[in-house]
Amino acid sequence: MPSSIRRLPPETASRIAAGEVIERPLSALKELVENALDAGARAVEVRVERALDAAFSVADDGAGIAADELELALERHATSKLASVEELDQLGTLGFRGEALPSIAAVSRLKLLSRPEAAEAGAFVRVEGGEVVERGFAARARGTTVEVRDLFHNTPARRKFLNSPTGELRAALRMVESYALARPATGWRFVVDGRERFAWGPATSHRERAAQVWGASHADQLLEASLQRGGYAVSALLGLPEHARATREGQVVLVNGRWIQSPALSQALRHAYGNLLPTGRFPAAVVWLTVPPDRLDVNVHPTKREVRFADEDTVFSLVAGACAQPLATIHPPFAVVGGAGSGVTYRPASEASGASTLREGPAGGAGSQMPLLLPMTGGDPRAEVSPGLAPPASMPGTEPVVPGPAGDATAPREGEIWQLHRTYILSPVRDGLVIVDQHAAHERILFEEALERLRGARAASQGLLFPALVDLSRANFELLLEVGEHLKQLGWDLAPLSTPTVVIRGVPGALRVEQPGQLLQQVLDGIAERAPTAQDQLMERVAASHACHTAIRAGDVLSAEAMRRLVDRLFATSRPHGDPHGRPTFVRLELSDLHRRFGRT
């Protein structure tokens, strides 16, 4: 027979409630950090001894708690942040449940020490398993310190399922970093076993705080985005495509100053990057989103790590649209600057006059700003394929920039360019080395050229000496009827005969095609991989497939001139960072990284 219903003892009920809010040591630390910020702290210090479940403390210089309210603060549903049920829809604080302190106290040995501004001294209470065991007075400046020891000492079953101490500490560091980004005006210090992990003073801007967290070199490369619409506002610092990671760990999402996890916002961020990233790679970015409080529900998760938006579609479009703007004109972390002679000089974007502009060399007049003006020749790099290995070749402007006769810092010197394993093009740049994937680079070039053809004038076609007949699958034959006009825009001269036969009379004039039937089938297969739903998407799929199957391949040997032309044409595209699939077209090795590898620093 089922047991009769009965009330649980208070200590059992409190431990169950604590388990809902404090699911792991990180949850306890997060609650206390949020309480410190809600108290108006301008400085927060976190200390950890051995591990988070062993001992940690959070100290702040906030408003403090009066001595006669310390024990009240340890009772469930007692809070200074909420007075009525109506305020639940207008929350302006990070924590509001009134359960954090009592929940932590129920499963630990806790000491709460605090002093308000007007008090002559600080007061403390010591609690074990939810019961007050000591109270008194102690010296302290204004603010609050919460010390937590032996977390889950009275719930051994929960201790069995804790994460590793090192993994929990890493998560704690990431959480504090996230709130440091949310509150740049607050100073932060994190100490582990007496060793300072970081100490950041107040910052005047999001970028300054990002420089404190990740270093000035990385922060300088981040792209800024901002947009306001209908009471909503978003700002972001976006990592370049080469900063993308295999997980979402590089993303920090802050909603009304609250650090959250949001699959919807992560998807909006990924949507903004489009084909700059391949499948399985996630952008690194910080997003600050401000939402009207009455359009946000923060009470959907016991640990407050998730929120619900009343207008999720509005938020999605706002974030995706704002972040897509700077990514539409993205350039490498070094600008391509015209110099003396016919070569180019690759310089860090921070040293060029504007990271997103490319300055014209002498041919265009001093000081003019235009999209990449280089002596570029057209044609297919495969026409320059050499029968043997490509030797190191002279390439003007790839060595470090040196002042010219008139003090011009952009005057280049002779450099070299190499092909590695018939796959990669290596070019020295100032303070490092750029490695270009020849296939991905050519694919990006052909993709943008194909899109331009599809939206403009038809490309020239090169007639075949003998028309080729090819039998397609029924699915590809039907697809050809749909995309045939697009293919003709790219230079194909073909026509369907009786199902499923197609006659090919000509191919795009810029290509050297040995097996036109096989190439056509590959292009159609690529288009069919993902069915588009709009005309623009169809055009992009046609352009992407055409580029993929007509680009030079790994294994093709290129002459020095072909490599120069390929690199020039790559950095003349609108998005040189990635091919149409999102794979990177180049990587840059910093000279400082090489120095570290060889023990020079």
Side-chain angles (χ1 to χ4, degrees), residues 376-437:
M376 290 168 44
T377 56
D380 185 356
R382 290 175 302 178
E384 299 286 340
V385 172
S386 303
L389 290 174
S394 173
M395 181 178 183
T398 53
E399 284 196 347
V401 177
V402 295
D408 178 13
T410 67
R413 298 190 308 183
E414 290 295 308
E416 293 181 324
I417 190 168
W418 301 270
Q419 186 182 35
L420 177 66
H421 296 302
R422 306 186 181 188
T423 303
Y424 302 106
I425 299 171
L426 277 61
S427 176
V429 296
R430 181 169 182 165
D431 297 327
L433 175 73
V434 168
I435 305 173
V436 176
D437 182 321

Side-chain angles (χ1 to χ4, degrees), residues 27 41 105 206 272 408 412 491 504 517 591:
S27 304
H206 288 152
D408 178 13
I504 304 175
L591 194 59

Side-chain angles (χ1 to χ4, degrees), residues 331 336 356-360 369-374 571-573:
H331 285 279
V336 186
S356 62
T357 60
L358 302 165
R359 290 193 294 155
E360 187 180 9
Q369 292 189 348
M370 298 181 66
L372 190 60
L373 292 175
L374 298 174
F571 291 117
T573 62

Side-chain angles (χ1 to χ4, degrees), residues 528-581:
E529 284 180 2
R530 186 178 65 196
T533 57
Q535 187 68 9
D536 284 346
Q537 291 177 329
L538 176 60
M539 292 173 61
E540 288 190 4
R541 293 301 297 165
V542 172
S545 183
H546 170 83
C548 179
H549 296 292
T550 58
I552 59 175
R553 301 285 179 179
D556 288 345
V557 182
L558 303 181
S559 70
E561 182 59 30
M563 288 188 284
R564 293 191 195 100
R565 192 159 57 242
L566 188 66
V567 172
D568 288 352
R569 293 170 68 195
L570 171 65
F571 291 117
T573 62
S574 64
R575 291 190 170 189
H577 281 82
D579 69 6
H581 308 289

Side-chain angles (χ1 to χ4, degrees), residues 6 43 106 206 210 481 513 568:
R6 57 186 180 277
H206 288 152
L481 297 179
V513 181
D568 288 352

Side-chain angles (χ1 to χ4, degrees), residues 144-385:
T144 301
T145 300
V146 183
E147 299 176 2
V148 179
R149 294 185 177 274
D150 301 327
L151 192 62
F152 302 128
H153 72 96
N154 53 357
T155 54
R158 181 170 291 273
R159 292 186 65 87
K160 295 178 183 178
F161 299 97
L162 294 182
N163 294 337
S164 68
T166 55
E168 199 72 358
L169 182 60
R170 283 196 302 270
L173 287 165
R174 181 169 182 260
M175 182 272 294
V176 175
E177 287 178 357
S178 299
Y179 272 116
L181 291 163
R183 302 292 179 95
T186 299
W188 297 82
R189 188 166 182 253
F190 202 112
V191 180
V192 180
D193 292 332
R195 176 171 166 260
E196 186 176 84
R197 291 296 186 94
F198 57 74
W200 304 320
T204 58
S205 67
H206 288 152
R207 189 177 289 276
E208 182 181 343
R209 176 49 53 85
Q212 293 174 335
V213 176
W214 296 310
S217 176
H218 178 80
D220 285 345
Q221 297 182 31
L222 299 176
L223 305 173
E224 291 189 31
S226 63
L227 188 62
Q228 296 185 25
R229 184 190 302 152
Y232 294 81
V234 61
S235 61
L237 289 176
L238 308 172
L240 297 173
E242 54 264 36
H243 299 153
R245 301 171 64 173
T247 68
R248 293 187 176 91
E249 289 297 306
Q251 297 177 9
V252 179
V253 179
L254 305 162
V255 178
N256 291 0
R258 183 189 300 271
W259 177 53
I260 68 159
Q261 297 173 358
S262 172
L265 293 185
S266 293
Q267 184 62 28
L269 188 61
R270 180 63 181 83
H271 183 79
Y273 278 75
N275 62 20
L276 285 174
L277 296 178
T279 302
R281 300 291 291 179
F282 301 94
V286 188
V287 178
W288 293 266
L289 179 64
T290 302
V291 178
D294 61 344
R295 310 303 294 168
L296 180 71
D297 184 1
V298 299
N299 196 24
V300 298
H301 194 279
T303 63
K304 299 173 294 182
R305 69 177 177 224
E306 297 177 7
V307 297
R308 180 182 294 121
F309 301 102
D311 307 298
E312 188 165 292
D313 290 344
T314 299
V315 172
F316 183 96
S317 62
L318 180 74
V319 173
C323 295
Q325 291 177 4
L327 292 168
T329 56
I330 188 173
H331 285 279
F334 44 85
V336 186
V337 184
S342 61
V344 296
T345 298
Y346 301 100
R347 297 174 58 212
S350 59
E351 299 179 13
S353 62
S356 62
T357 60
L358 302 165
R359 290 193 294 155
E360 187 180 9
S368 61
Q369 292 189 348
M370 298 181 66
L372 190 60
L373 292 175
L374 298 174
M376 290 168 44
T377 56
D380 185 356
R382 290 175 302 178
E384 299 286 340
V385 172

